[in-house]
Amino acid sequence: MWKNRLAYGLVLLTAAVLLFLYSKPFLLTVLIVLLLLMVINGVLVLHDAHSIRVSMRVRPGGQQGKDVNLNIIVNSDKKLLAAQEIFLELETQSTLLGTKKERRFLLPLTSGQSNYTIKVPAEQCGELRFSCKRICVRDVLNLFNVQTAPFAPVRTVIYPRRMKVQLLLSQASAGTPQPEGKMQNRKGNDPSEMFDLREYVPGDDVRSIHWKLSGKTDTLILRQASDPSLYNIALLMDFGIEKNGEPTPLEELNAAAAVAAAVGTQLVQQHITFSAAVPTRNGLEIYEVRTQKDFQQMLMHWMCFPLQQTEGAGMRYFLTQQMDRQYARLVLLTAGPYTASLKPLEGRIGTTVISAVSGGKLQHIAVGGGYEVVELPAERIEDEVYRILC
């Protein structure tokens, strides 16, 4: 726009100089017309800007690696007199990674309603917030930039890309070994354990009715036995924005999220109940996952949490809250080669670390002490199927 203003200013200056040198009447007319044209154009574009309303819509979900379609809607109550195009400055902010990026667009204007579709690449997974930094209406001469009211921010969730993973769980005994070789007695390990009572509903097994308690309460009370699969597996997302003091590559963060989604999907498909642990500023947020619906809700919530600053905070929470006493097996998801020590978990809980590593390949690394590390390539390989044993 500054070029148009400079050119128009030079034309005005030239007309003024020629008028001063030659004092011709037509040069005065030209100068007056140019000045009037500029003023009228400015007044008209200001009038148009007050009648323009801009809004934006976006689909509620997308996938990392694909485009997000932003639908820009421009309405004008009156016929546009001087406005020619609209300048839009957008800020895209990732809640998960905390990154920001600004984009600028120039859209043509017409009277009435106009719809535009802008494609924005989804370079990272997580919740994306699109906010309007500035909207300006430009006139036909590109001399004036009149700001109009910005629209309200819109959000969408970008889910991790799909990875082909086959998960095989080992048949080793779950639980924390004790010195005498017995399994730690935690809720869910004893099938005969009763841990809940509820009212009887038609269709329940009458053999589970607690007759003694029912006689005291005049209500049929059902004994609900323990579920051995409950509290058996914990899925812990323990990667951060930084790793060993350096920024974690975006490719590895996206791949780690994709691996976590793939592993969770496999557990659901195999009808294995598990808990997903998401690190937050206030500790671990725990989601119990039994069905595909539970998993999708967990995934949506996770994508809306800010990622922890450094790798390993999730493990510290896990140990501080003594969560190794509640689970028999831990699946730890990380970005990049895992370098932290797992010594505190040795002999307490079976642990599998699954890392997304740039330039790597699928490999199982036996560490010993009841845990192992599985490395997967962070690069996008569409047709590869990764078999993970944990």
Side-chain angles (χ1 to χ4, degrees):
M1 173 170 281
W2 65 271
K3 293 182 180 180
N4 295 74
R5 291 175 176 174
L6 179 61
Y8 202 85
L10 289 175
V11 172
L12 285 174
L13 181 61
T14 302
V17 171
L18 291 176
L19 178 62
F20 177 77
L21 293 176
Y22 300 104
S23 302
K24 297 293 184 179
F26 79 91
L27 291 175
L28 177 61
T29 303
V30 169
L31 184 60
I32 294 174
V33 168
L34 289 174
L35 290 172
L36 286 176
L37 181 62
M38 182 179 65
V39 173
I40 293 173
N41 193 54
V43 172
L44 292 179
V45 74
L46 184 63
H47 171 270
D48 291 343
H50 288 303
S51 67
I52 291 175
R53 301 186 309 277
V54 183
S55 60
M56 186 169 70
R57 297 173 185 169
V58 62
R59 290 184 59 184
Q63 191 176 60
Q64 186 262 322
K66 298 183 179 180
D67 290 337
V68 178
N69 291 331
L70 303 179
N71 187 22
I72 308 295
I73 304 166
V74 181
N75 285 288
S76 59
D77 299 331
K78 303 175 183 178
K79 183 178 177 61
L80 299 181
L81 303 175
Q84 176 178 289
E85 55 192 14
I86 192 167
F87 173 78
L88 178 62
E89 186 175 342
L90 282 181
E91 181 184 78
T92 306
Q93 181 177 1
S94 170
T95 304
L96 187 70
L97 301 181
T99 56
K100 295 181 180 180
K101 189 171 184 178
E102 291 187 357
R103 293 180 172 87
R104 296 172 177 83
F105 304 95
L106 203 58
L107 307 173
L109 279 176
T110 58
S111 299
Q113 178 174 304
S114 302
N115 290 275
Y116 308 93
T117 299
I118 298 175
K119 294 184 179 295
V120 177
E123 301 170 346
Q124 54 204 27
C125 56
E127 182 191 56
L128 291 184
R129 181 179 184 269
F130 298 95
S131 57
C132 177
K133 301 293 291 183
R134 187 164 56 123
I135 298 180
C136 297
V137 178
R138 294 183 175 179
D139 61 288
V140 292
L141 298 177
N142 263 336
L143 297 179
F144 297 96
N145 231 9
V146 181
Q147 291 196 30
T148 186
F151 51 80
V154 297
R155 303 170 187 265
T156 188
V157 176
I158 305 300
Y159 293 98
R161 60 182 170 91
R162 293 186 176 90
M163 290 189 68
K164 297 179 181 179
V165 169
Q166 289 184 359
L167 186 67
L168 302 174
L169 296 180
S170 66
Q171 299 301 315
S173 297
T176 302
Q178 299 299 301
E180 62 273 17
K182 296 181 180 179
M183 187 183 301
Q184 176 181 339
N185 183 21
R186 64 163 66 99
K187 184 168 67 176
N189 283 333
D190 183 3
S192 65
E193 178 188 359
M194 181 183 69
F195 69 89
D196 201 4
L197 296 170
R198 62 176 175 83
E199 289 189 14
Y200 172 86
V201 294
D204 286 334
D205 190 348
V206 294
R207 293 174 297 181
S208 298
I209 295 177
H210 195 305
W211 294 108
K212 187 175 181 179
L213 188 59
S214 298
K216 293 180 179 180
T217 59
D218 292 329
T219 304
L220 289 179
I221 302 297
L222 199 73
R223 293 178 295 189
Q224 188 168 317
S226 66
D227 182 359
S229 66
L230 195 62
Y231 304 116
N232 201 26
I233 298 178
L235 197 66
L236 174 60
M237 283 62 109
D238 196 30
F239 44 92
I241 298 175
E242 294 181 359
K243 184 182 178 73
N244 299 326
E246 298 290 334
T248 307
L250 181 61
E251 184 179 56
E252 292 183 344
L253 292 175
N254 284 326
V259 172
V263 170
T265 300
Q266 280 284 295
L267 291 173
V268 170
Q269 291 176 353
Q270 296 178 34
H271 306 288
I272 299 173
T273 299
F274 67 97
S275 293
V278 178
T280 69
R281 293 186 179 94
N282 301 316
L284 291 178
E285 191 80 17
I286 307 297
Y287 299 89
E288 188 174 305
V289 179
R290 290 188 177 93
T291 64
Q292 184 65 32
K293 182 179 179 181
D294 294 338
F295 181 66
Q296 287 299 325
Q297 289 179 346
M298 181 282 298
L299 198 59
M300 182 184 67
H301 291 160
W302 175 35
M303 294 291 103
C304 298
F305 277 118
L307 202 62
Q308 57 186 346
Q309 186 66 29
T310 58
E311 179 189 69
M315 176 58 72
R316 290 193 293 272
Y317 287 139
F318 192 84
L319 294 171
T320 302
Q321 297 172 215
Q322 297 183 341
M323 298 185 66
D324 56 299
R325 297 177 178 271
Q326 303 176 32
Y327 301 96
R329 182 178 294 159
L330 172 65
V331 180
L332 188 66
L333 286 308
T334 66
Y338 192 72
T339 57
S341 173
L342 294 174
K343 281 286 184 181
L345 297 177
E346 187 173 347
R348 300 176 62 87
I349 183 173
T351 304
T352 301
V353 179
I354 304 178
S355 300
V357 181
S358 297
K361 61 181 180 179
L362 176 62
Q363 57 179 339
H364 288 71
I365 305 172
V367 180
Y371 51 86
E372 66 172 353
V373 176
V374 181
E375 290 189 354
L376 297 176
E379 290 74 20
R380 185 165 189 151
I381 304 175
E382 300 289 349
D383 300 325
E384 192 71 26
V385 180
Y386 302 103
R387 292 175 176 86
I388 301 175
L389 175 64
C390 62

PDB file of all heavy atoms in Angstrom, residues 152-178:
ATOM      1  N   ALA A 152     -14.721 -12.899  16.703  1.00  0.00           N
ATOM      2  CA  ALA A 152     -14.363 -13.664  17.897  1.00  0.00           C
ATOM      3  C   ALA A 152     -13.468 -14.843  17.512  1.00  0.00           C
ATOM      4  O   ALA A 152     -13.589 -15.400  16.413  1.00  0.00           O
ATOM      5  CB  ALA A 152     -15.625 -14.177  18.589  1.00  0.00           C
ATOM      6  N   PRO A 153     -12.538 -15.246  18.379  1.00  0.00           N
ATOM      7  CA  PRO A 153     -11.665 -16.386  18.083  1.00  0.00           C
ATOM      8  C   PRO A 153     -12.465 -17.669  17.894  1.00  0.00           C
ATOM      9  O   PRO A 153     -13.524 -17.862  18.496  1.00  0.00           O
ATOM     10  CB  PRO A 153     -10.770 -16.476  19.322  1.00  0.00           C
ATOM     11  CG  PRO A 153     -10.844 -15.129  19.969  1.00  0.00           C
ATOM     12  CD  PRO A 153     -12.220 -14.624  19.672  1.00  0.00           C
ATOM     13  N   VAL A 154     -11.949 -18.562  17.062  1.00  0.00           N
ATOM     14  CA  VAL A 154     -12.548 -19.883  16.851  1.00  0.00           C
ATOM     15  C   VAL A 154     -11.488 -20.939  17.139  1.00  0.00           C
ATOM     16  O   VAL A 154     -10.280 -20.680  17.040  1.00  0.00           O
ATOM     17  CB  VAL A 154     -13.097 -20.040  15.421  1.00  0.00           C
ATOM     18  CG1 VAL A 154     -14.220 -19.057  15.169  1.00  0.00           C
ATOM     19  CG2 VAL A 154     -11.999 -19.854  14.381  1.00  0.00           C
ATOM     20  N   ARG A 155     -11.943 -22.117  17.506  1.00  0.00           N
ATOM     21  CA  ARG A 155     -11.024 -23.191  17.889  1.00  0.00           C
ATOM     22  C   ARG A 155     -11.384 -24.472  17.160  1.00  0.00           C
ATOM     23  O   ARG A 155     -12.547 -24.701  16.819  1.00  0.00           O
ATOM     24  CB  ARG A 155     -11.076 -23.441  19.404  1.00  0.00           C
ATOM     25  CG  ARG A 155     -10.765 -22.229  20.259  1.00  0.00           C
ATOM     26  CD  ARG A 155     -11.087 -22.499  21.725  1.00  0.00           C
ATOM     27  NE  ARG A 155     -10.953 -21.300  22.532  1.00  0.00           N
ATOM     28  CZ  ARG A 155      -9.865 -20.966  23.213  1.00  0.00           C
ATOM     29  NH1 ARG A 155      -8.803 -21.769  23.176  1.00  0.00           N
ATOM     30  NH2 ARG A 155      -9.811 -19.874  23.923  1.00  0.00           N
ATOM     31  N   THR A 156     -10.378 -25.291  16.970  1.00  0.00           N
ATOM     32  CA  THR A 156     -10.579 -26.641  16.449  1.00  0.00           C
ATOM     33  C   THR A 156      -9.490 -27.535  17.025  1.00  0.00           C
ATOM     34  O   THR A 156      -8.444 -27.040  17.461  1.00  0.00           O
ATOM     35  CB  THR A 156     -10.547 -26.666  14.909  1.00  0.00           C
ATOM     36  OG1 THR A 156     -10.923 -27.970  14.443  1.00  0.00           O
ATOM     37  CG2 THR A 156      -9.157 -26.348  14.369  1.00  0.00           C
ATOM     38  N   VAL A 157      -9.745 -28.829  17.040  1.00  0.00           N
ATOM     39  CA  VAL A 157      -8.783 -29.789  17.571  1.00  0.00           C
ATOM     40  C   VAL A 157      -8.187 -30.580  16.416  1.00  0.00           C
ATOM     41  O   VAL A 157      -8.915 -31.178  15.615  1.00  0.00           O
ATOM     42  CB  VAL A 157      -9.444 -30.751  18.586  1.00  0.00           C
ATOM     43  CG1 VAL A 157      -8.443 -31.806  19.057  1.00  0.00           C
ATOM     44  CG2 VAL A 157      -9.974 -29.967  19.776  1.00  0.00           C
ATOM     45  N   ILE A 158      -6.868 -30.558  16.327  1.00  0.00           N
ATOM     46  CA  ILE A 158      -6.149 -31.308  15.301  1.00  0.00           C
ATOM     47  C   ILE A 158      -5.637 -32.598  15.949  1.00  0.00           C
ATOM     48  O   ILE A 158      -4.790 -32.561  16.838  1.00  0.00           O
ATOM     49  CB  ILE A 158      -4.976 -30.490  14.724  1.00  0.00           C
ATOM     50  CG1 ILE A 158      -5.473 -29.149  14.202  1.00  0.00           C
ATOM     51  CG2 ILE A 158      -4.265 -31.273  13.633  1.00  0.00           C
ATOM     52  CD1 ILE A 158      -6.515 -29.260  13.107  1.00  0.00           C
ATOM     53  N   TYR A 159      -6.178 -33.716  15.507  1.00  0.00           N
ATOM     54  CA  TYR A 159      -5.820 -35.003  16.095  1.00  0.00           C
ATOM     55  C   TYR A 159      -4.552 -35.556  15.447  1.00  0.00           C
ATOM     56  O   TYR A 159      -4.212 -35.199  14.309  1.00  0.00           O
ATOM     57  CB  TYR A 159      -6.973 -35.992  15.935  1.00  0.00           C
ATOM     58  CG  TYR A 159      -8.189 -35.610  16.748  1.00  0.00           C
ATOM     59  CD1 TYR A 159      -9.259 -34.927  16.161  1.00  0.00           C
ATOM     60  CD2 TYR A 159      -8.264 -35.909  18.105  1.00  0.00           C
ATOM     61  CE1 TYR A 159     -10.366 -34.558  16.903  1.00  0.00           C
ATOM     62  CE2 TYR A 159      -9.376 -35.540  18.856  1.00  0.00           C
ATOM     63  CZ  TYR A 159     -10.421 -34.874  18.248  1.00  0.00           C
ATOM     64  OH  TYR A 159     -11.504 -34.501  18.997  1.00  0.00           O
ATOM     65  N   PRO A 160      -3.842 -36.426  16.166  1.00  0.00           N
ATOM     66  CA  PRO A 160      -2.606 -36.999  15.597  1.00  0.00           C
ATOM     67  C   PRO A 160      -2.893 -37.797  14.333  1.00  0.00           C
ATOM     68  O   PRO A 160      -3.986 -38.325  14.149  1.00  0.00           O
ATOM     69  CB  PRO A 160      -2.088 -37.917  16.722  1.00  0.00           C
ATOM     70  CG  PRO A 160      -2.745 -37.419  17.971  1.00  0.00           C
ATOM     71  CD  PRO A 160      -4.077 -36.881  17.551  1.00  0.00           C
ATOM     72  N   ARG A 161      -1.895 -37.870  13.468  1.00  0.00           N
ATOM     73  CA  ARG A 161      -2.019 -38.672  12.258  1.00  0.00           C
ATOM     74  C   ARG A 161      -2.135 -40.146  12.624  1.00  0.00           C
ATOM     75  O   ARG A 161      -1.748 -40.562  13.708  1.00  0.00           O
ATOM     76  CB  ARG A 161      -0.812 -38.462  11.343  1.00  0.00           C
ATOM     77  CG  ARG A 161       0.523 -38.827  11.968  1.00  0.00           C
ATOM     78  CD  ARG A 161       1.655 -38.531  11.002  1.00  0.00           C
ATOM     79  NE  ARG A 161       2.965 -38.646  11.610  1.00  0.00           N
ATOM     80  CZ  ARG A 161       3.685 -39.743  11.630  1.00  0.00           C
ATOM     81  NH1 ARG A 161       3.206 -40.845  11.097  1.00  0.00           N
ATOM     82  NH2 ARG A 161       4.878 -39.758  12.200  1.00  0.00           N
ATOM     83  N   ARG A 162      -2.671 -40.912  11.712  1.00  0.00           N
ATOM     84  CA  ARG A 162      -2.864 -42.340  11.964  1.00  0.00           C
ATOM     85  C   ARG A 162      -1.574 -43.119  11.698  1.00  0.00           C
ATOM     86  O   ARG A 162      -0.898 -42.896  10.707  1.00  0.00           O
ATOM     87  CB  ARG A 162      -3.989 -42.899  11.097  1.00  0.00           C
ATOM     88  CG  ARG A 162      -5.363 -42.348  11.474  1.00  0.00           C
ATOM     89  CD  ARG A 162      -6.464 -43.027  10.682  1.00  0.00           C
ATOM     90  NE  ARG A 162      -7.773 -42.573  11.089  1.00  0.00           N
ATOM     91  CZ  ARG A 162      -8.408 -41.554  10.564  1.00  0.00           C
ATOM     92  NH1 ARG A 162      -7.835 -40.870   9.582  1.00  0.00           N
ATOM     93  NH2 ARG A 162      -9.594 -41.191  10.990  1.00  0.00           N
ATOM     94  N   MET A 163      -1.267 -44.005  12.609  1.00  0.00           N
ATOM     95  CA  MET A 163      -0.137 -44.920  12.445  1.00  0.00           C
ATOM     96  C   MET A 163      -0.652 -46.347  12.527  1.00  0.00           C
ATOM     97  O   MET A 163      -1.593 -46.643  13.272  1.00  0.00           O
ATOM     98  CB  MET A 163       0.920 -44.693  13.531  1.00  0.00           C
ATOM     99  CG  MET A 163       1.686 -43.402  13.407  1.00  0.00           C
ATOM    100  SD  MET A 163       3.082 -43.331  14.574  1.00  0.00           S
ATOM    101  CE  MET A 163       4.157 -44.604  13.895  1.00  0.00           C
ATOM    102  N   LYS A 164      -0.037 -47.225  11.746  1.00  0.00           N
ATOM    103  CA  LYS A 164      -0.430 -48.633  11.750  1.00  0.00           C
ATOM    104  C   LYS A 164       0.416 -49.369  12.776  1.00  0.00           C
ATOM    105  O   LYS A 164       1.600 -49.617  12.557  1.00  0.00           O
ATOM    106  CB  LYS A 164      -0.246 -49.241  10.352  1.00  0.00           C
ATOM    107  CG  LYS A 164      -1.135 -48.588   9.294  1.00  0.00           C
ATOM    108  CD  LYS A 164      -0.907 -49.191   7.922  1.00  0.00           C
ATOM    109  CE  LYS A 164      -1.777 -48.524   6.865  1.00  0.00           C
ATOM    110  NZ  LYS A 164      -1.537 -49.099   5.519  1.00  0.00           N
ATOM    111  N   VAL A 165      -0.219 -49.681  13.884  1.00  0.00           N
ATOM    112  CA  VAL A 165       0.474 -50.328  14.992  1.00  0.00           C
ATOM    113  C   VAL A 165      -0.272 -51.600  15.378  1.00  0.00           C
ATOM    114  O   VAL A 165      -1.511 -51.600  15.453  1.00  0.00           O
ATOM    115  CB  VAL A 165       0.571 -49.378  16.205  1.00  0.00           C
ATOM    116  CG1 VAL A 165       1.039 -50.131  17.447  1.00  0.00           C
ATOM    117  CG2 VAL A 165       1.517 -48.229  15.906  1.00  0.00           C
ATOM    118  N   GLN A 166       0.458 -52.662  15.600  1.00  0.00           N
ATOM    119  CA  GLN A 166      -0.088 -53.892  16.170  1.00  0.00           C
ATOM    120  C   GLN A 166       0.543 -54.085  17.539  1.00  0.00           C
ATOM    121  O   GLN A 166       1.761 -54.224  17.651  1.00  0.00           O
ATOM    122  CB  GLN A 166       0.211 -55.097  15.268  1.00  0.00           C
ATOM    123  CG  GLN A 166      -0.574 -55.100  13.967  1.00  0.00           C
ATOM    124  CD  GLN A 166      -0.336 -56.350  13.143  1.00  0.00           C
ATOM    125  OE1 GLN A 166       0.439 -57.216  13.529  1.00  0.00           O
ATOM    126  NE2 GLN A 166      -1.007 -56.450  12.008  1.00  0.00           N
ATOM    127  N   LEU A 167      -0.298 -54.061  18.551  1.00  0.00           N
ATOM    128  CA  LEU A 167       0.193 -54.139  19.929  1.00  0.00           C
ATOM    129  C   LEU A 167      -0.030 -55.542  20.471  1.00  0.00           C
ATOM    130  O   LEU A 167      -1.145 -56.062  20.445  1.00  0.00           O
ATOM    131  CB  LEU A 167      -0.537 -53.115  20.796  1.00  0.00           C
ATOM    132  CG  LEU A 167      -0.052 -52.967  22.231  1.00  0.00           C
ATOM    133  CD1 LEU A 167       1.355 -52.375  22.250  1.00  0.00           C
ATOM    134  CD2 LEU A 167      -1.006 -52.087  23.031  1.00  0.00           C
ATOM    135  N   LEU A 168       1.036 -56.137  20.979  1.00  0.00           N
ATOM    136  CA  LEU A 168       0.970 -57.457  21.593  1.00  0.00           C
ATOM    137  C   LEU A 168       1.407 -57.323  23.041  1.00  0.00           C
ATOM    138  O   LEU A 168       2.514 -56.849  23.321  1.00  0.00           O
ATOM    139  CB  LEU A 168       1.883 -58.456  20.854  1.00  0.00           C
ATOM    140  CG  LEU A 168       1.603 -58.653  19.364  1.00  0.00           C
ATOM    141  CD1 LEU A 168       2.663 -59.550  18.747  1.00  0.00           C
ATOM    142  CD2 LEU A 168       0.215 -59.247  19.156  1.00  0.00           C
ATOM    143  N   LEU A 169       0.538 -57.727  23.949  1.00  0.00           N
ATOM    144  CA  LEU A 169       0.862 -57.668  25.366  1.00  0.00           C
ATOM    145  C   LEU A 169       1.429 -59.004  25.809  1.00  0.00           C
ATOM    146  O   LEU A 169       0.887 -60.059  25.503  1.00  0.00           O
ATOM    147  CB  LEU A 169      -0.384 -57.336  26.189  1.00  0.00           C
ATOM    148  CG  LEU A 169      -1.021 -55.961  25.929  1.00  0.00           C
ATOM    149  CD1 LEU A 169      -2.236 -55.772  26.815  1.00  0.00           C
ATOM    150  CD2 LEU A 169      -0.024 -54.845  26.154  1.00  0.00           C
ATOM    151  N   SER A 170       2.522 -58.955  26.564  1.00  0.00           N
ATOM    152  CA  SER A 170       3.130 -60.184  27.068  1.00  0.00           C
ATOM    153  C   SER A 170       2.219 -60.819  28.104  1.00  0.00           C
ATOM    154  O   SER A 170       1.408 -60.169  28.733  1.00  0.00           O
ATOM    155  CB  SER A 170       4.499 -59.882  27.683  1.00  0.00           C
ATOM    156  OG  SER A 170       4.341 -59.075  28.831  1.00  0.00           O
ATOM    157  N   GLN A 171       2.374 -62.116  28.287  1.00  0.00           N
ATOM    158  CA  GLN A 171       1.539 -62.857  29.220  1.00  0.00           C
ATOM    159  C   GLN A 171       2.164 -62.936  30.609  1.00  0.00           C
ATOM    160  O   GLN A 171       1.725 -63.723  31.441  1.00  0.00           O
ATOM    161  CB  GLN A 171       1.305 -64.273  28.682  1.00  0.00           C
ATOM    162  CG  GLN A 171       0.600 -64.301  27.346  1.00  0.00           C
ATOM    163  CD  GLN A 171      -0.759 -63.624  27.401  1.00  0.00           C
ATOM    164  OE1 GLN A 171      -1.529 -63.856  28.325  1.00  0.00           O
ATOM    165  NE2 GLN A 171      -1.047 -62.793  26.412  1.00  0.00           N
ATOM    166  N   ALA A 172       3.197 -62.150  30.843  1.00  0.00           N
ATOM    167  CA  ALA A 172       3.842 -62.169  32.166  1.00  0.00           C
ATOM    168  C   ALA A 172       2.863 -61.717  33.235  1.00  0.00           C
ATOM    169  O   ALA A 172       1.957 -60.928  32.983  1.00  0.00           O
ATOM    170  CB  ALA A 172       5.074 -61.270  32.163  1.00  0.00           C
ATOM    171  N   SER A 173       3.047 -62.238  34.449  1.00  0.00           N
ATOM    172  CA  SER A 173       2.152 -61.898  35.553  1.00  0.00           C
ATOM    173  C   SER A 173       2.217 -60.406  35.832  1.00  0.00           C
ATOM    174  O   SER A 173       3.297 -59.817  35.893  1.00  0.00           O
ATOM    175  CB  SER A 173       2.542 -62.679  36.812  1.00  0.00           C
ATOM    176  OG  SER A 173       2.378 -64.060  36.591  1.00  0.00           O
ATOM    177  N   ALA A 174       1.050 -59.806  35.994  1.00  0.00           N
ATOM    178  CA  ALA A 174       0.992 -58.384  36.296  1.00  0.00           C
ATOM    179  C   ALA A 174       1.027 -58.194  37.793  1.00  0.00           C
ATOM    180  O   ALA A 174       0.548 -59.013  38.553  1.00  0.00           O
ATOM    181  CB  ALA A 174      -0.283 -57.771  35.713  1.00  0.00           C
ATOM    182  N   GLY A 175       1.594 -57.109  38.220  1.00  0.00           N
ATOM    183  CA  GLY A 175       1.630 -56.806  39.646  1.00  0.00           C
ATOM    184  C   GLY A 175       3.034 -56.552  40.107  1.00  0.00           C
ATOM    185  O   GLY A 175       4.000 -56.825  39.412  1.00  0.00           O
ATOM    186  N   THR A 176       3.174 -56.063  41.298  1.00  0.00           N
ATOM    187  CA  THR A 176       4.483 -55.744  41.834  1.00  0.00           C
ATOM    188  C   THR A 176       5.026 -56.925  42.610  1.00  0.00           C
ATOM    189  O   THR A 176       4.402 -57.379  43.568  1.00  0.00           O
ATOM    190  CB  THR A 176       4.389 -54.533  42.769  1.00  0.00           C
ATOM    191  OG1 THR A 176       3.846 -53.447  42.022  1.00  0.00           O
ATOM    192  CG2 THR A 176       5.752 -54.140  43.297  1.00  0.00           C
ATOM    193  N   PRO A 177       6.170 -57.488  42.209  1.00  0.00           N
ATOM    194  CA  PRO A 177       6.712 -58.636  42.936  1.00  0.00           C
ATOM    195  C   PRO A 177       7.077 -58.249  44.360  1.00  0.00           C
ATOM    196  O   PRO A 177       7.605 -57.184  44.625  1.00  0.00           O
ATOM    197  CB  PRO A 177       7.964 -58.994  42.131  1.00  0.00           C
ATOM    198  CG  PRO A 177       7.775 -58.341  40.814  1.00  0.00           C
ATOM    199  CD  PRO A 177       6.968 -57.110  41.073  1.00  0.00           C
ATOM    200  N   GLN A 178       6.773 -59.125  45.303  1.00  0.00           N
ATOM    201  CA  GLN A 178       7.136 -58.935  46.690  1.00  0.00           C
ATOM    202  C   GLN A 178       8.334 -59.822  47.018  1.00  0.00           C
ATOM    203  O   GLN A 178       8.659 -60.759  46.270  1.00  0.00           O
ATOM    204  CB  GLN A 178       5.946 -59.281  47.601  1.00  0.00           C
ATOM    205  CG  GLN A 178       4.730 -58.396  47.343  1.00  0.00           C
ATOM    206  CD  GLN A 178       5.033 -56.931  47.599  1.00  0.00           C
ATOM    207  OE1 GLN A 178       5.416 -56.553  48.693  1.00  0.00           O
ATOM    208  NE2 GLN A 178       4.889 -56.104  46.575  1.00  0.00           N
TER     209      GLN A 178
END
